[in-house]
Amino acid sequence: MSEDHTHVQEFFGARAAGWDRKFPGDGPAFATAVAEFGLRPGDRVLDAGCGTGRAMTALRAAVGSAGIVLGVDLTPQMLAAARRAGRDAEGALLLADVARLPLRDEALDGVFAAGLIAHLPDPGANLSELARVVRPGGRLALFHPIGRVALAARHGRELTPEDMRAEHNLGPLLTGSGWDMTSYADEDNRFLVLAVRHA
């Protein structure tokens, strides 16, 4: 994606109103990914690049009423769609850039990021920013409801060895930005990478 945030906002802004209707069957995949993420009651979690907030119900269920759920997105129309869907009842929605989060250091126990990594202008620096706001030992989930092969086919392109989400590329990228990858799953019906913040 371009480093020009206007491009990202225009792309997703134009699609926000129909986003959930376009992917109506993704709910169970989000719920399963959140369950595997390993959150505990009372945890503080960020849904980074939350879009229409499709993960927020599962995140709230995982952290319970004592936990904190915060959804951050760069596109106002996506956040408006999340509010129309009632997902602001599950947590706070904030218009902000994940590259410069308005959060203090080590404020969170985890970050859940669905479909985000391909849209980061500077993945190493941006993943470091996510690490900054998570306590040592806290968790990161990079998720997509379909795997890399299926996603590439959807976009009419072929996978190459340079694909950032390939395990041999993503592992070192995470390590260099404050995370230790603990599991990697790239299957037809999901992509889920879990990592832990360096101590």
Side-chain angles (χ1 to χ4, degrees):
M1 273 287 174
S2 166
E3 291 189 31
D4 178 6
H5 290 326
T6 303
H7 175 77
V8 175
Q9 289 173 318
E10 288 176 354
F11 179 88
F12 286 103
R15 293 161 175 78
W19 194 259
D20 287 356
R21 290 192 304 274
K22 187 174 181 180
F23 306 107
D26 285 351
F30 273 83
T32 298
V34 169
E36 291 186 40
F37 189 20
L39 293 169
R40 295 170 297 189
D43 276 353
R44 301 153 299 170
V45 63
L46 171 67
D47 186 355
C50 66
T52 61
R54 293 184 294 168
M56 291 188 70
T57 299
L59 291 170
R60 171 55 66 196
V63 304
S65 59
I68 293 173
V69 178
L70 175 63
V72 168
D73 203 272
L74 188 64
T75 306
Q77 296 94 324
M78 281 288 193
L79 294 174
R83 290 186 182 96
R84 284 194 300 274
R87 292 172 182 142
D88 54 338
E90 310 295 352
L93 294 170
L94 181 64
L95 180 67
D97 184 354
V98 297
R100 291 182 301 278
L101 289 165
L103 299 171
R104 62 179 170 79
D105 293 356
E106 302 180 10
L108 304 171
D109 298 294
V111 174
F112 185 87
L116 176 70
I117 191 165
H119 303 290
L120 296 177
D122 185 347
N126 303 151
L127 288 168
S128 293
E129 172 66 357
L130 295 180
R132 179 187 69 78
V133 300
V134 173
R135 63 170 174 79
R139 299 167 178 263
L140 170 70
L142 301 175
F143 169 70
H144 200 285
I146 59 175
R148 292 188 310 126
V149 171
L151 186 61
R154 177 185 287 176
H155 293 156
R157 59 177 175 79
E158 293 184 8
L159 285 180
T160 69
E162 292 75 37
D163 179 34
M164 178 176 52
R165 288 167 291 188
E167 186 172 7
H168 64 270
N169 295 324
L170 188 55
L173 178 64
L174 286 166
T175 299
S177 56
W179 302 96
D180 291 315
M181 187 163 65
T182 58
S183 68
Y184 181 94
D186 181 17
E187 303 157 2
D188 285 346
N189 61 350
R190 70 164 185 168
F191 176 85
L192 181 62
V193 173
L194 301 179
V196 174
R197 166 83 150 75
H198 295 331

